[in-house]
Amino acid sequence: MSISRRTIQAAFFATSLLIGGAVMAQKPASSPVKNIVLVHGAFADGSSWNKIIPLLQAKEFHVTSVAIPLTSSADDVAATKRAIAAQAGPVILVGHSYGGVVITEAGNDSKVAGLVYVAAFAPDAAQSITDISKSFPKPIGLDKLAPLSDGFLFLSPEGIEGMLFFESISRDSFHCSR
């Protein structure tokens, strides 16, 4: 029996929310955490959480998927901080892939009760994503990037397909307690 990478990622995410194994607490929340802010990785958008959001909402969490602009790290952190500021009460930040770099920086907010890294980069202070990723193989689909004349990069549909995650999660395979 073969277990897919996506199944392992889903199980890790669900387990993290259930028992807090990958949650890095900032400080004890004075009230129950009901807000979850999701941050996607590079070469993705907020829709990459489409299978996860209704599962969390069914458990009565208030869920926000940040649309980080991917124009710079500072812009991505600023967008995440705006999402944190919009929440009523403490927040759990969840980052996937490059989103882990973003939540590490944005997580220095008094409303953030914890960080969850889902197959994500978790940098040390002053460590860049380039420093972290040097020892890892090139991501699937990265060779499908094409530079545009304005300096931005375009990821082809084939590259996007190779980078999707959580697409095969069913409600039956997701367990999270309140």
Side-chain angles (χ1 to χ4, degrees):
M1 177 176 161
S2 174
I3 298 175
S4 74
R5 179 179 66 174
R6 289 183 176 95
T7 301
I8 292 169
Q9 289 171 335
F12 179 76
F13 179 66
T15 302
S16 295
L17 287 177
L18 179 63
I19 64 171
V23 175
M24 295 182 166
Q26 302 297 89
K27 64 176 189 157
S30 58
S31 59
V33 178
K34 297 180 182 178
N35 301 303
I36 298 176
V37 174
L38 305 170
V39 180
H40 61 80
F43 314 115
D45 64 18
S47 69
S48 61
W49 298 103
N50 281 352
K51 298 277 184 165
I52 297 297
I53 292 170
L55 300 173
L56 292 169
Q57 288 172 330
K59 299 292 183 180
E60 300 182 8
F61 287 103
H62 176 261
V63 183
T64 301
S65 178
V66 180
I68 58 174
L70 297 170
T71 50
S72 71
S73 177
D75 290 346
D76 298 339
V77 170
T80 303
K81 286 183 175 186
R82 285 190 297 275
I84 294 166
Q87 306 305 307
V91 175
I92 295 292
L93 281 179
V94 180
H96 171 256
S97 189
Y98 164 72
V101 174
V102 176
I103 69 168
T104 299
E105 180 70 24
N108 294 321
D109 184 291
S110 62
K111 290 176 93 174
V112 176
L115 306 173
V116 177
Y117 294 85
V118 180
F121 293 100
D124 288 329
Q127 190 177 31
S128 74
I129 192 165
T130 303
D131 296 335
I132 298 169
S133 59
K134 284 180 183 175
S135 63
F136 293 103
K138 182 174 71 170
I140 299 169
L142 194 60
D143 59 344
K144 302 295 182 178
L145 281 174
L148 300 174
S149 62
D150 59 2
F152 285 87
L153 299 172
F154 173 78
L155 183 61
S156 71
E158 297 81 18
I160 291 169
E161 183 177 315
M163 293 196 181
L164 292 178
F165 73 107
F166 294 143
E167 62 192 26
S168 62
I169 296 175
S170 71
R171 288 187 181 274
D172 296 336
S173 66
F174 185 83
H175 303 286
C176 179
S177 66
R178 287 278 296 142

